[in-house]
């Protein structure tokens, strides 16, 4: 039996969560990082501990 659409979506969400869990701030090393939309529509990140942002 093949995976349903919702199972595939769950797998995508899990992969994204695991990628975020490995992400840390290059400035202070904190794992408290939020993913935000950049000015040009791209993805950027901001550290909620020190305020550093990067893309």
């Amino acid at each position: 039996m093949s995976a349903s659409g919702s199972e595939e979506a769950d797998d995508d969400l899990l992969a994204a969560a695991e990628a975020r869990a490995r992400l840390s701030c290059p400035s202070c090393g904190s794992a408290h990082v939020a993913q935000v939309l950049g000015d040009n529509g791209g993805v950027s990140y901001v550290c909620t501990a020190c305020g550093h942002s990067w893309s």
Side-chain angles (χ1 to χ4, degrees):
M1 186 183 293
S2 65
S4 72
S6 69
E7 288 174 344
E8 291 174 7
D10 289 346
D11 289 345
D12 290 344
L13 289 173
L14 181 58
E18 288 173 349
R20 283 192 301 273
R22 290 189 297 267
L23 189 62
S24 62
C25 176
S27 181
C28 72
S30 172
H32 296 278
V33 175
Q35 184 176 350
V36 295
L37 291 177
D39 292 337
N40 63 357
V43 176
S44 296
Y45 304 93
V46 63
C47 176
T48 58
C50 73
H52 179 75
S53 61
W54 70 99
S55 55

